[in-house]
């Protein structure tokens, strides 16, 4: 039987140092609220229920914490009396009797499933408390893991530590797993007789041992435990997240020429043999399929780029852009809520919105779909192998047939059938010698002004 687990995620901080009108855990990393990253890691560690301990913005935080695969329930911690007190805010959930209780922090978004699973494994092997620790050159501010005869005996907070204890470099991440059947008993025994006058969750180490329980620790990489207290740290976390994800993608077969200039979102999907040139920004909801090439300075969100498509430089794909295989969207083009058929080309200075472009059609430079009348949006349908001459406005709703030909500079307001030629522009007039006359007149005016 698989062990049941409740995650208790602490997010009741006041976020003072963020200098923000919203809770810290709602600030985004890779276009996703920090709290959702934590929930995702917890869900990946096989946890199906979470108690979220919140202070301010309870509803917003709870909503942001809802990720697939995990049931989230919010508990309000009215006063901030310490981490032990915070976990007890969720006592109603803990009392339901899970095998494991896993404590995580809402402001430590780089955590992955591995240390969380390791901590749960420790419980499965008979520990009552498993602390997630880390080794660091800069232990200041963290609780220190104190060892005696090879056993973890206590966690000492910085403010309560002796000089000898402060020299310890094995630190408490704050995350830990506790035997779910004993957790409430341990937590209720925590007092606040310490330098800060707070209820320290870390006291469960000594409490469990005093009751004859076993306490162990597992280690996690320091980078995964980076916490966020201010906007500068938020930027550091963003950078670390981006580096990690880019590396994963490169190792899975994506080429990035200057990876440090490519920005991904939490849900970006990029298949093998995609090449990404420098300076590309990928917003949420983007999939790039195998063999596609992304040229520099492109910006995407909510878009699918089909296999072997070529996009950019300077292309903007907005939500609903769906590029077929081997299609091309070139420089200074914007595509929104539009399907670009297989092998179709939209190469220069074009806006395609609320549209369907059939396979192998060619959209000339400067083509615009006039999709908006100031009130409603309308659709443009272009068949296969159509040729749209440069500087055409397609005033939607309008439909262009297969193999149709639109002359350059046209304003197309009515449907064009298959194989038809459509011209929607003023007929050209040529007046021999007239340019010369105009020029001479202009020069005469200029000369008269000087004299
Ligand atoms: C805590 C640990 C310390 C560890 C450090 C790692 C304790 C007593 N100390 O210290 O050993 O090295 O984290 O970063 O646990 N929170 C609440 N309600 C509260 C208090 C805290 O929700 O009443 C939340 C905070 O928002 C934060 C987390 O719990 O997400 C940790 O609280 P914080 O005050 O940062 O604890 P530290 O003093 O850093
Ligand atoms: Mg802290």
């Amino acid at each position: 039987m698989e062990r049941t687990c409740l995650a208790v995620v602490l997010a009741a901080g006041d976020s003072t140092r963020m200098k923000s009108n919203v809770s810290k855990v709602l600030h985004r990393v890779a276009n996703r609220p920090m709290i959702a990253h934590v929930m995702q890691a917890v869900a990946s560690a096989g946890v199906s229920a979470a108690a979220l301990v919140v202070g301010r913005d309870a509803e917003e935080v709870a909503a942001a914490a809802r990720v697939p695969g995990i049931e989230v329930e919010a508990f309000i911690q009215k006063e901030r009396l310490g981490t032990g007190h915070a976990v007890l805010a969720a006592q109603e959930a803990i009392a339901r009797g899970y095998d494991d209780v896993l404590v995580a922090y809402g402001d430590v978004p780089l955590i992955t499933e591995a240390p969380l699973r390791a901590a749960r494994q420790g419980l499965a092997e008979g520990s009552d408390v498993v602390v997630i620790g880390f080794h660091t050159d800069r232990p200041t501010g963290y609780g220190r893991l104190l060892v005696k005869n090879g056993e973890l005996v206590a966690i000492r907070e910085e403010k309560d530590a002796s000089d000898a204890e402060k020299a310890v470099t094995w630190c408490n991440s704050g995350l830990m797993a506790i035997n779910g059947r004993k957790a409430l008993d341990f937590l209720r025994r925590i007092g606040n007789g310490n330098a800060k006058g707070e209820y320290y969750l870390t006291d469960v180490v000594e409490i469990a041992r005093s009751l004859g329980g076993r306490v162990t620790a597992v280690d996690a990489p320091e980078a995964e435990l980076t916490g966020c207290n201010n906007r500068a740290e938020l930027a550091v976390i963003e950078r670390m997240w981006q580096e990690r994800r880019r590396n994963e993608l490169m190792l899975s077969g994506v080429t990035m020429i200057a990876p440090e200039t490519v920005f991904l979102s939490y849900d970006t999907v990029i298949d093998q043999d995609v090449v990404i040139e420098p300076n590309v920004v990928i917003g949420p909801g983007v999939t790039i399929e195998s063999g596609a090439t992304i040229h520099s300075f492109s910006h995407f969100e909510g878009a699918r780029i089909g296999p072997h498509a070529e996009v950019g430089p300077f292309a903007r794909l907005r939500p609903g852009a769906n590029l077929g295989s081997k299609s091309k969207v070139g420089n200074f083009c914007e595509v929104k809520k539009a399907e670009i058929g297989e092998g179709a080309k939209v190469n220069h200075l074009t806006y395609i919105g609320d549209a369907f472009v059939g396979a192998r059609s060619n959209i000339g430079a400067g083509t615009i779909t006039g999709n908006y009348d100031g009130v409603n949006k309308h659709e443009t349908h272009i068949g296969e192998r159509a040729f749209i001459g440069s500087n055409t406005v397609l005033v939607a709703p309008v439909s262009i047939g297969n193999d149709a030909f639109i002359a350059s500079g046209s304003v197309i307001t009515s449907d064009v059938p298959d194989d038809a030629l459509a011209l929607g522009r003023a007929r050209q007039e040529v007046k021999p010698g007239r340019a010369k006359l105009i020029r001479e007149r202009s020069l005469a005016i200029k000369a008269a002004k000087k004299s």
Side-chain angles (χ1 to χ4, degrees):
M1 263 280 285
E2 215 183 307
R3 294 171 67 91
T4 60
C5 180
L6 173 77
V8 179
V9 180
L10 305 189
D14 323 305
S15 317
T16 327
R17 284 172 285 168
M18 288 297 278
K19 309 262 191 242
S20 176
N21 283 323
V22 297
S23 163
K24 151 165 84 178
V25 299
L26 292 175
H27 286 261
R28 287 168 178 266
V29 172
N31 283 310
R32 186 183 217 192
M34 238 185 274
I35 188 70
H37 286 274
V38 175
M39 287 299 174
Q40 190 67 66
V42 164
S44 306
V47 180
S48 56
L52 185 63
V53 179
V54 279
R56 61 189 287 187
D57 306 323
E59 266 168 48
E60 291 87 342
V61 174
R66 294 209 168 87
V67 304
I70 188 160
E71 203 64 49
V72 179
E73 199 181 345
F75 294 87
I76 312 263
Q77 186 196 20
K78 290 200 189 75
E79 284 176 290
R80 219 170 162 272
L81 301 180
T83 48
H85 179 261
V87 175
L88 263 181
Q91 58 181 310
E92 194 189 310
I94 299 169
R96 278 181 217 133
Y98 293 86
D99 296 318
D100 306 345
V101 167
L102 183 64
V103 179
Y105 288 176
D107 59 356
V108 180
L110 296 173
I111 189 74
T112 65
E113 67 170 274
L116 302 177
R117 278 193 187 278
R120 290 191 62 199
Q121 184 59 31
L123 296 185
E125 288 166 7
S127 292
D128 287 319
V129 176
V130 184
V131 174
I132 302 181
F134 65 100
H135 293 277
T136 178
D137 305 333
R138 290 173 297 159
T140 308
Y142 292 111
R144 310 299 207 283
L145 302 191
L146 305 184
V147 179
K148 213 175 189 175
N149 303 326
E151 286 182 28
L152 175 60
V153 293
I155 301 176
R156 188 76 69 241
E157 291 307 295
E158 173 92 17
K159 281 203 170 165
D160 302 288
S162 66
D163 286 345
E165 288 167 344
K166 280 182 187 158
V168 171
T169 56
W170 196 22
C171 291
N172 175 29
S173 70
L175 283 61
M176 64 174 74
I178 308 171
N179 178 326
R181 313 287 166 187
K182 300 183 183 172
L184 273 185
D185 181 33
F186 293 169
L187 292 164
R188 284 177 179 149
R189 289 170 189 262
I190 297 176
N192 63 352
N194 51 52
K196 273 178 142 181
E198 284 189 359
Y199 295 86
Y200 288 167
L201 173 63
T202 45
D203 284 357
V204 296
V205 170
E206 283 161 285
I207 291 167
R209 284 178 60 87
S210 72
L211 296 172
R214 193 167 142 207
V215 176
T216 53
V218 295
D219 281 332
E222 188 179 357
E224 274 190 36
L225 302 168
T226 308
C228 180
N229 293 304
N230 57 44
R231 312 259 181 166
E233 288 173 3
L234 180 64
V236 169
I237 287 172
E238 178 76 34
R239 193 190 71 222
M240 292 168 82
W241 188 95
Q242 294 289 342
E243 267 170 21
R244 185 160 88 188
R245 188 75 189 113
R246 286 182 206 121
N247 276 325
E248 284 169 7
L249 286 170
M250 288 189 283
L251 295 179
S252 75
V254 175
T255 294
M256 296 186 198
I257 294 167
E260 67 282 7
T261 67
V262 174
F263 293 86
L264 309 161
S265 285
Y266 71 98
D267 60 350
T268 303
V269 176
I270 308 181
D271 293 345
Q272 197 173 309
D273 290 318
V274 166
V275 174
I276 304 185
E277 290 182 355
N279 296 303
V280 171
V281 176
I282 302 177
V286 172
T287 298
I288 307 178
E289 296 183 13
S290 84
T293 300
I294 311 302
H295 297 293
S296 290
F297 305 106
S298 293
H299 187 287
F300 310 144
E301 55 190 317
R304 171 195 165 255
I305 297 168
H308 302 283
E310 202 176 326
V311 184
F314 297 97
R316 176 158 189 224
L317 303 182
R318 290 172 50 207
N322 184 356
L323 277 46
S325 70
K326 297 196 175 99
S327 63
K328 280 188 174 183
V329 172
N331 44 284
F332 307 105
C333 292
E334 173 177 343
V335 178
K336 182 217 84 171
K337 205 173 174 194
E339 195 168 324
I340 308 296
E342 184 176 338
K345 292 178 188 167
V346 183
N347 272 341
H348 330 270
L349 302 152
T350 285
Y351 172 64
I352 302 290
D354 301 295
F356 175 91
V357 176
R360 284 172 294 285
S361 282
N362 187 89
I363 310 295
T367 296
I368 302 289
T369 52
N371 59 329
Y372 187 48
D373 60 14
V375 180
N376 293 302
K377 300 272 170 66
H378 304 280
E379 289 183 2
T380 299
H381 190 282
I382 299 171
E384 299 188 356
R385 298 171 305 277
F387 181 92
I388 313 295
S390 295
N391 199 32
T392 291
V393 180
L394 299 163
V395 181
V398 73
S399 175
I400 312 295
N402 294 332
D403 303 288
F405 190 110
I406 310 297
S408 293
S410 291
V411 176
I412 299 296
T413 53
S414 48
D415 291 353
V416 178
D418 292 354
D419 289 313
L421 165 69
L423 300 100
R425 63 192 189 200
R427 183 174 287 278
Q428 180 174 330
E429 282 184 62
V430 178
K431 300 183 189 290
R434 181 69 69 85
K436 191 166 172 241
L437 271 175
I438 293 170
R439 190 168 59 246
E440 283 167 359
R441 197 174 59 197
S442 301
L443 287 169
I445 292 169
K446 195 175 180 184
K449 276 187 185 163
K450 273 190 184 162
S451 63

